[in-house]
Amino acid sequence: MDHPYTPTHYLLVDFEATCCDQGSVPRQEMEIIEVGAVMVDSASLGMVGEFQSFVRPQRHPRLTAFCSRLTHITQAEVDAAPTFPEVCARWKTWLGGFPDYLFCSWGDYDRTQLEQDCALHRVPYPMRSGHLNVKRQFARQQHLPRPLGLGQAVALAGLTFIGTHHRGIDDARNIAQLLPFIFGEARVPR
């Protein structure tokens, strides 16, 4: 395992961000437009809380058609959303209800995007723990030759994808479904 202790909770995070398939939104200018977070009890692997919010982007306030198609997030939803500093403050308050958690995401993208948005908006990084890439952990635990996308992992585990892929809260819920295959004894069918 990448972490030396078992926390009381796993914080499963998935962000959606501004993006474009035509290069008009460079990687270093992407901004979070949805925070999806699920808190899971590490002993039972049961969900104990959720946090979701859309975020109004500043650099590229108009979503590209590609971004809206991919995430199913509308321009109206981000236009009506609070700013990143406001969402981060609310999220931090929610996180305060869980004194011990490990920040987990499917890949390293979410950690680096959070760091990027915190720097852009001059907001303190809200995580009190290190980070675990559960995509890599799933592959390691299941003895797979390479890490898989979230949808592929859910299908391989014989589970049904919850909600809409590339929606932050739904992706976080699907990571939660996979925890018995990441931290428990569950094995994917061979």
Side-chain angles (χ1 to χ4, degrees):
M1 289 273 200
D2 293 342
H3 55 97
Y5 77 105
T6 299
T8 60
H9 295 90
Y10 296 116
L11 171 65
L12 312 175
V13 176
D14 189 84
F15 298 122
E16 299 308 324
T18 54
C19 56
C20 184
D21 58 349
Q22 305 292 315
S24 65
V25 181
R27 171 70 192 92
Q28 68 276 9
E29 291 183 13
M30 289 170 63
E31 285 178 86
I32 294 169
I33 56 172
E34 184 190 8
V35 174
V38 172
M39 194 66 78
V40 173
D41 176 88
S42 64
S44 69
L45 300 182
M47 288 192 259
V48 295
E50 289 186 346
F51 179 92
Q52 187 278 339
S53 182
F54 294 116
V55 181
R56 189 170 64 242
Q58 307 300 301
R59 281 182 169 142
H60 298 275
R62 300 279 327 149
L63 299 182
T64 63
F66 171 79
C67 185
S68 290
R69 269 194 318 277
L70 179 70
T71 65
H72 296 88
I73 296 171
T74 68
Q75 187 65 48
E77 286 169 324
V78 296
D79 285 347
T83 63
F84 180 79
E86 293 169 292
V87 171
C88 210
R90 283 189 21 239
W91 191 27
K92 205 169 172 189
T93 299
W94 179 78
L95 288 170
F98 305 95
D100 181 43
Y101 59 82
L102 178 63
F103 171 26
C104 303
S105 64
W106 199 260
D108 291 321
Y109 159 79
D110 301 275
R111 178 185 50 79
T112 58
Q113 187 64 52
L114 180 59
E115 290 168 350
Q116 182 173 300
D117 279 58
C118 286
L120 170 67
H121 296 283
R122 294 180 175 84
V123 171
Y125 185 71
M127 296 298 130
R128 295 188 311 255
S129 76
H131 175 261
L132 179 65
N133 176 339
V134 289
K135 176 181 183 174
R136 201 167 32 235
Q137 190 64 35
F138 176 82
R140 194 176 300 139
Q141 187 80 0
Q142 298 302 319
H143 307 290
L144 302 175
R146 60 178 178 73
L148 302 174
L150 181 58
Q152 293 173 299
V154 168
L156 182 65
L159 303 170
T160 301
F161 200 90
I162 299 166
T164 304
H165 196 18
H166 298 301
R167 273 298 310 280
I169 192 63
D170 291 340
D171 286 357
R173 290 170 180 152
N174 282 289
I175 296 168
Q177 277 200 99
L178 289 170
L179 290 186
F181 298 87
I182 297 169
F183 298 119
E185 300 304 314
R187 293 293 169 260
V188 298
R190 293 285 175 198

